[in-house]
Amino acid sequence: MRILGVDIGGTGMKSGVVDTEKGALDGKRIRVDTPRPATPERVAETLRALIDAQRWEGPVGVGFPAAIHHGVVRTAANVDASFAGLSIADYFSERTGHAVSVLNDADAAGLAEVRFGAARDVRGVVLVATIGTGIGTALFTDGRLLPNTELGHILLDNGVEAERYASEAARVRNKLGWAAWGKRFDRYLKAMEKLFWPDLIVLGGGVSRRHEKFAPFLTTSARVVPARYFNRAGIIGAGIHAEDRGLRTEDRALATLAS
Ligand code: BGC
């Protein structure tokens, strides 16, 4: 099946048509800047423009940088605060005229890596961390997701919020070299290890392409690998999630017909 996936980040909005059987993009990836301020109106407008730019008709899966609890946005660290409390899938569906499903962006990236990527067929506990404007996390056990873990917001032992200290934005903002940033990120992963004891850690986001630059500074006992899909994982996972939801809806419809 083909579904348009869109990964909404604090800095950029990336889209691509996802082949959900292959777990791959089918066609070109189109990126635009996230509007500033990232209000619901402006983000929905940009989403609509992206859908049009992809000449897409049909359902759309979106990864969004916030906790999405039963369809409602609960946090807004890197988007406008007015998103909080919004029934986001309904809102985007109304504004774009497409059936839109929404999940947390890191959960989306994690889904892609667990289904098709670096964590495929891995048993035990897998932590996927996406490094960008913020730090996003997705936690799996035997392939099943515990949704909406917001583990980029924990306070480190220096009292600083992890994503303010060790995100890609922090690396750029503080002009850190790979060693300095790698040590910061290691501090974060060690904190995660102490709390969750993952068997595997998968790193996504643009910086995961530069894995060899900072890998020498990582000292966790868990294996740490770059995402297979780098920063395309969020797009692919958003497409997979939209298909999963569609299938579930179809299942429900069939169950109703059968009863
Ligand atoms: C948000 C998360 C998101 C992460 C990565 C954090 O600031 O709270 O929901 O997954 O950034 O975008």
Side-chain angles (χ1 to χ4, degrees):
M1 189 166 179
R2 293 167 82 248
I3 292 196
L4 184 70
V6 180
D7 182 8
I8 299 181
T11 313
M13 294 176 51
K14 294 143 249 166
S15 66
V17 176
V18 181
D19 178 329
T20 56
E21 267 139 53
K22 291 191 187 136
L25 289 191
D26 179 8
K28 61 180 188 266
R29 173 178 174 276
I30 301 179
R31 180 201 181 279
V32 293
D33 285 344
T34 304
R36 271 174 199 274
T39 57
E41 295 76 21
R42 296 192 59 198
V43 172
E45 238 168 63
T46 311
L47 176 62
R48 191 180 169 156
L50 266 179
I51 297 170
D52 289 348
Q54 289 280 4
R55 300 180 188 282
W56 181 250
E57 300 291 337
V60 179
V62 168
F64 191 77
I68 313 290
H69 192 227
H70 301 302
V72 177
V73 178
R74 293 298 185 193
T75 59
N78 293 312
V79 287
D80 195 75
S82 56
F83 263 107
L86 191 70
S87 285
I88 189 169
D90 294 342
Y91 182 80
F92 282 163
S93 299
E94 269 162 35
R95 292 293 172 117
T96 63
H98 290 254
V100 180
S101 63
V102 183
L103 82 165
N104 171 263
D105 58 348
D107 286 351
L111 272 183
E113 292 299 324
V114 162
R115 283 289 167 88
F116 297 104
R120 185 176 185 158
D121 297 329
V122 175
R123 311 283 298 171
V125 175
V126 173
L127 174 72
V128 179
T130 62
I131 313 157
T133 314
I135 293 179
T137 54
L139 199 58
F140 293 83
T141 175
D142 291 343
R144 278 181 65 94
L145 172 70
L146 171 66
N148 288 318
T149 53
E150 287 283 322
L151 301 173
H153 296 291
I154 64 153
L155 295 186
L156 297 172
D157 55 5
N158 57 4
V160 183
E161 186 185 33
E163 75 171 25
R164 291 212 53 80
Y165 183 70
S167 62
E168 167 66 356
R171 185 179 74 82
V172 173
R173 190 172 56 238
N174 298 307
K175 301 189 177 62
L176 300 175
W178 288 111
W181 181 79
K183 285 177 194 157
R184 283 191 179 201
F185 195 70
D186 185 51
R187 193 166 187 168
Y188 174 62
L189 288 187
K190 296 272 282 258
M192 290 292 97
E193 180 153 66
K194 222 160 113 185
L195 294 172
F196 299 103
W197 298 102
D199 296 289
L200 176 71
I201 299 173
V202 178
L203 302 182
V207 81
S208 57
R209 280 188 197 284
R210 319 290 297 275
H211 192 77
E212 77 291 347
K213 300 271 187 203
F214 58 87
F217 306 101
L218 304 183
T219 62
T220 54
S221 55
R223 201 156 60 90
V224 184
V225 296
R228 170 174 176 201
Y229 295 110
F230 300 113
N231 58 357
R232 284 170 298 133
I235 304 175
I236 294 171
I240 294 171
H241 173 253
E243 182 182 68
D244 285 357
R245 285 193 62 100
L247 289 179
R248 278 208 293 278
T249 311
E250 265 172 39
D251 282 350
R252 273 204 299 277
L254 288 175
T256 316
L257 280 178
S259 65

